[in-house]
Amino acid sequence: MGKIQLNLSVVNRFGVLVRISELFARRGFNISSLEVHETSDPDVSEMTIVAYGDDYAHTQMLRQLGKLHDVISIK
Amino acid sequence: MKIAGSDILVETLIEQGAEVVFGYPGGQVLNIYDSLYLKSDRIKHIITAHEQGAAHAADGYARATGKVGVVIATSGPGATNLVTGLANAMLDSVPMVAITGNVPCNLLGKDSFQEVDIVGITIPVTKHNFMVTKTEDLADTIRQAFRIAKSGRPGPVLVDIPKDVQVNTAEYEPVPVVEPFALKTASEEAIEKAAAMIAESKKPYIYCGGGVISAGAEKELALLSEKMDAPVGCSIMGLTALPVSNKRNLGMTGMHGHFVASKAKNDADLVITLGARFSNRATGNVAKFCQGAKMIHIDIDAAELDKNVTVDLGIQGDVKDAISRIIEKISPAFHPDWWKEIEEIKKFEAENTAAQIGTLTPYDVIETVNSYLPDDTPVATDVGQHQMWAAQKYRFETPRTFLTSGGLGTMGFGMGAAIGGCVATGKRTVLFTGDGSFGMNLNEMTTAVSQNLPLIVVILNNGVLGMVRQWQAAFYNEHYSQTTLERKTDFPALARAFGAKGFAVTNVDELHAAMKEAVETNGTVLIDCAIHMDERVLPMIPPGGAIENMILS
Ligand SMILES: Cc1ncc(C[n+]2csc(CCOP(=O)(O)OP(=O)(O)O)c2C)c(N)n1
Ligand SMILES: [Mg+2]
């Protein structure tokens, strides 16, 4: 169970946090920490999520998050 | 010119190609219904008996045509009644746009009358959803919703529109129908690898899912199987991608699939999966699934690759494009030995599958009804044994003619879906339902009758929740807990009460007579077919089992 850190750039719209946390909950991934920051662009927020999981979990997190329309990019 | 939000909504629906919408009015969509009234010469609205029926109708409409289905419901209970329909469309990747009204923005969050957070409720069961808070954003949001619904792997999108957004005005300029987002296509390297794996294979197998139909890749599938000389097995969602009359089509695989379709997949040395997600009903025990085979999986949704089954070559991309490019790279192959093996399995299946027991057997019903209907007939089902019998036995020849709830397994889907399919195609439509499932949404008989739809409702009436009963018989010591219905409903009389024709049949001759009249009837007909309560769906791979556990008799 490795540590997984995901840096997301997301649309700054109400409900974004729910969409992302709901995805983790639904897929059975536990979030260890989560931070949301403003950026210089008022339409965009940055999110840092830390979770624990194996390679399978990591890949699924990236690919499932990639399908959310409010997620602009993932690092 | 500035127009009201409700007019913008309806104009945008028309602009985006919605000819028919399904729905149910209420307090928070009164403005929308007023606009629909005024524009009724340009867009048709069909009122159902229940919002769930409307959602399933929009879904059936979309399945039958590939177009985006549209459903409208009021806030609160109207909106929550859509939830099952959305989940159903989500799990089967059906393009749909659901419009809900909500209380005015200043009343949101106050637990106002008929206020629910439908956006929050439907996050897990939609591809995406929106709440529109400014009338200026409305037209573009609706366009986005259509775009998302039909792009890539399709799915349902909900747009929640508070009442003041419908009332306030904004500028509206029509735009052309939005194009889907550009599809990802497979890399050249991946296509070459796939072609190389195909060239090495002696016992290839193509496993076809619903993605082939979504992608419109039915012709490419047929060409690929021909050039590879490979059998094709389908998930329930993949049925209709290849005509039953195609000699390489082995039919449905999985828990209740044909033995030959599952066994050949198990014995193959290469399995190419196209647009399928390896649901547990399709795979059984994943650890034992296709152990001896190399696996290629092509899907537009990258998240499906290695999600349920780990494969040797996962390819993200449009299946239509990928198959065409693979076809160009491979030389024609012939696998007579492999086909001999497959024929042996077919023979074994035919000789060892237990016969059905009643006077009028389930297969009699499916085959007799089938014999009266042209190949392009939309065939809807509900959920249970009758659904599996239809999936196994109906001779599907035309893509998009099977409207069934594959992923969610929604009892009550059938009536709405059949209505949607019938409205969409204008063709006589058949619904195979069960006595249990029909009970869930039989209210929609009112819709079929008021629309004068040429719909034939065939009830495979075993007097029980047969599918559950079958499990109770096999795994729960025949404890038939709450599955023996002992209802006294007179279905033909009920049909007549709704304004439809109704027949009850107990043998094949009576069914022939009823079908003869049904296909001559300009309207809705119900045929109640008495079948034996102990009929089983066979073959069956027990849950979590593998091919060697398959029960044939
Ligand atoms: C909404 C819903 N509730 C419960 C179930 C569980 N379930 C699956 S099949 C089935 C029995 C269906 O009975 P019927 O419609 O009579 O069909 P049969 O199996 O007898 O052909 C039930 C209860 C379901 N799939 N959907
Ligand atoms: Mg039944």
Side-chain angles (χ1 to χ4, degrees):
Chain A
M1 293 287 271
K3 180 174 171 177
I4 298 166
Q5 181 170 328
L6 304 164
N7 301 309
L8 312 181
S9 170
V10 301
V11 178
N12 180 18
R13 192 183 294 158
F14 60 78
V16 171
L17 186 56
V18 180
R19 286 178 205 281
I20 289 170
S21 52
E22 191 278 334
L23 188 152
F24 275 77
R26 173 158 50 111
R27 301 277 171 192
F29 305 133
N30 186 28
I31 297 177
S32 303
S33 81
L34 186 152
E35 283 173 46
V36 190
H37 318 266
E38 291 180 319
T39 66
S40 51
D41 181 346
D43 293 333
V44 177
S45 310
E46 265 170 15
M47 223 179 247
T48 308
I49 300 175
V50 176
Y52 288 84
D54 53 15
D55 286 348
Y56 172 83
H58 191 181
T59 308
Q60 273 294 306
M61 284 175 200
L62 291 173
R63 290 179 178 172
Q64 297 292 355
L65 283 168
K67 293 204 282 182
L68 294 184
H69 286 268
D70 286 345
V71 172
I72 302 164
S73 67
I74 314 170
K75 271 176 284 177
Chain B
M1 197 186 63
K2 287 194 169 190
I3 58 174
S6 58
D7 289 327
I8 295 179
L9 168 68
V10 177
E11 286 298 336
T12 313
L13 293 175
I14 297 169
E15 161 204 298
Q16 292 305 315
E19 287 161 11
V20 184
V21 300
F22 301 88
Y24 210 101
Q28 304 305 337
V29 287
L30 271 163
N31 291 66
I32 296 173
Y33 276 79
D34 198 51
S35 299
L36 285 167
Y37 178 88
L38 294 169
K39 298 174 198 295
S40 60
D41 54 332
R42 292 161 60 218
I43 185 166
K44 181 173 167 140
H45 178 280
I46 292 180
I47 177 160
T48 54
H50 187 294
E51 289 89 351
Q52 185 186 353
H56 293 326
D59 176 321
Y61 182 95
R63 282 179 209 245
T65 56
K67 290 175 60 176
V68 178
V70 179
V71 57
I72 303 176
T74 192
S75 67
T80 54
N81 277 347
L82 297 180
V83 173
T84 302
L86 292 167
N88 190 76
M90 182 72 177
L91 279 178
D92 286 347
S93 309
V94 177
M96 234 170 94
V97 168
I99 308 287
T100 50
N102 210 332
V103 299
C105 289
N106 64 334
L107 292 181
L108 284 170
K110 310 258 162 71
D111 302 319
S112 309
F113 178 64
Q114 295 193 329
E115 180 197 356
V116 297
D117 173 15
I118 196 64
V119 167
I121 289 172
T122 59
I123 286 174
V125 295
T126 52
K127 192 170 169 189
H128 190 58
N129 60 19
F130 298 94
M131 150 92 68
V132 185
T133 52
K134 288 194 291 254
T135 307
E136 296 80 67
D137 297 341
L138 184 54
D140 277 343
T141 307
I142 300 297
R143 290 167 190 146
Q144 270 290 95
F146 273 82
R147 191 166 197 206
I148 292 169
K150 63 186 174 185
S151 290
R153 177 179 185 173
V157 180
L158 178 134
V159 184
D160 195 23
I161 312 175
K163 185 151 187 181
D164 53 328
V165 176
Q166 302 168 30
V167 173
N168 294 340
T169 60
E171 291 293 339
Y172 167 77
E173 277 297 328
V175 305
V177 173
V178 289
E179 288 295 319
F181 295 110
L183 288 171
K184 283 234 163 62
T185 51
S187 71
E188 196 50 31
E189 190 196 344
I191 296 291
E192 267 161 28
K193 259 195 202 152
M197 287 166 78
I198 291 169
E200 269 171 32
S201 164
K202 304 254 174 312
K203 298 162 80 173
Y205 181 101
I206 299 171
Y207 175 43
C208 162
V212 171
I213 300 167
S214 299
E218 297 92 348
K219 288 212 174 68
E220 289 75 5
L221 169 72
L223 286 173
L224 181 70
S225 87
E226 193 186 325
K227 201 158 182 190
M228 287 173 61
D229 196 20
V232 178
C234 297
S235 72
I236 192 166
M237 295 306 298
L239 291 176
T240 81
L242 198 65
V244 168
S245 56
N246 183 310
K247 64 177 183 196
R248 293 192 180 80
N249 191 349
L250 302 184
M252 184 168 73
T253 70
M255 179 175 280
H256 290 300
H258 293 287
F259 178 67
V260 63
S262 299
K263 176 76 172 140
K265 183 162 61 177
N266 184 72
D267 295 353
D269 66 2
L270 174 72
V271 174
I272 304 184
T273 300
L274 304 169
R277 70 155 175 277
F278 299 111
S279 115
N280 54 322
R281 278 289 185 277
T283 60
N285 184 347
V286 281
K288 291 192 172 172
F289 183 71
C290 302
Q291 269 171 316
K294 287 253 188 286
M295 305 263 272
I296 303 174
H297 184 190
I298 309 178
D299 205 290
I300 192 64
D301 182 355
E304 290 305 337
L305 306 176
D306 293 332
K307 186 184 80 178
N308 293 345
V309 168
T310 313
V311 296
D312 300 284
L313 177 61
I315 304 179
Q316 186 193 8
D318 173 26
V319 287
K320 186 175 169 126
D321 166 81
I323 305 173
S324 325
R325 286 163 59 202
I326 290 173
I327 292 172
E328 279 171 24
K329 287 252 173 346
I330 58 176
S331 7
F334 300 95
H335 300 293
D337 293 345
W338 177 215
W339 277 102
K340 218 189 260 161
E341 249 183 81
I342 293 168
E343 289 308 323
E344 286 298 315
I345 306 170
K346 266 192 195 166
K347 212 169 123 211
F348 178 86
E349 177 172 9
E351 284 167 3
N352 290 278
T353 305
Q356 297 186 326
I357 54 182
T359 319
L360 178 63
T361 69
Y363 286 163
D364 287 339
V365 175
I366 306 292
E367 287 174 338
T368 308
V369 171
N370 195 163
S371 70
Y372 284 86
L373 301 170
D375 286 347
D376 57 359
T377 302
V379 179
T381 75
D382 262 300
V383 168
Q385 292 181 308
H386 61 276
Q387 175 191 28
M388 294 300 117
W389 289 318
Q392 292 174 337
K393 261 288 174 296
Y394 200 92
R395 296 187 61 84
F396 298 106
E397 292 293 322
T398 312
R400 297 194 172 278
T401 50
F402 192 38
L403 318 177
T404 200
S405 171
L408 194 65
T410 312
M411 288 173 72
F413 172 70
M415 271 307 294
I419 288 167
C422 189
V423 167
T425 59
K427 293 184 181 129
R428 190 179 302 283
T429 298
V430 63
L431 165 64
F432 291 109
T433 182
D435 45 325
S437 295
F438 186 60
M440 289 214 171
N441 281 329
L442 57 80
N443 50 5
E444 298 304 343
M445 283 292 281
T446 54
T447 313
V449 169
S450 59
Q451 296 294 323
N452 197 31
L453 298 180
L455 175 62
I456 306 174
V457 176
V458 178
I459 306 179
L460 285 97
N461 190 349
N462 48 12
V464 291
L465 301 176
M467 182 59 95
V468 181
R469 180 183 165 91
Q470 180 171 342
W471 286 49
Q472 290 171 331
F475 314 118
Y476 292 87
N477 304 310
E478 301 182 16
H479 294 166
Y480 296 125
S481 178
Q482 302 302 314
T483 51
T484 314
L485 296 175
E486 286 170 359
R487 291 178 183 161
K488 302 286 179 282
T489 314
D490 179 343
F491 286 115
L494 182 69
R496 288 192 281 278
F498 277 119
K501 278 190 190 170
F503 301 101
V505 305
T506 56
N507 59 48
V508 179
D509 290 343
E510 288 172 5
L511 180 54
H512 275 290
M515 276 307 292
K516 277 187 190 130
E517 189 158 346
V519 293
E520 294 297 320
T521 301
N522 176 24
T524 303
V525 179
L526 177 148
I527 307 174
D528 181 15
C529 304
I531 60 165
H532 199 290
M533 63 165 66
D534 286 321
E535 300 282 10
R536 288 174 300 156
V537 184
L538 294 171
M540 177 180 192
I541 301 178
I547 186 74
E548 66 261 27
N549 312 114
M550 194 171 234
I551 305 164
L552 284 169
S553 61

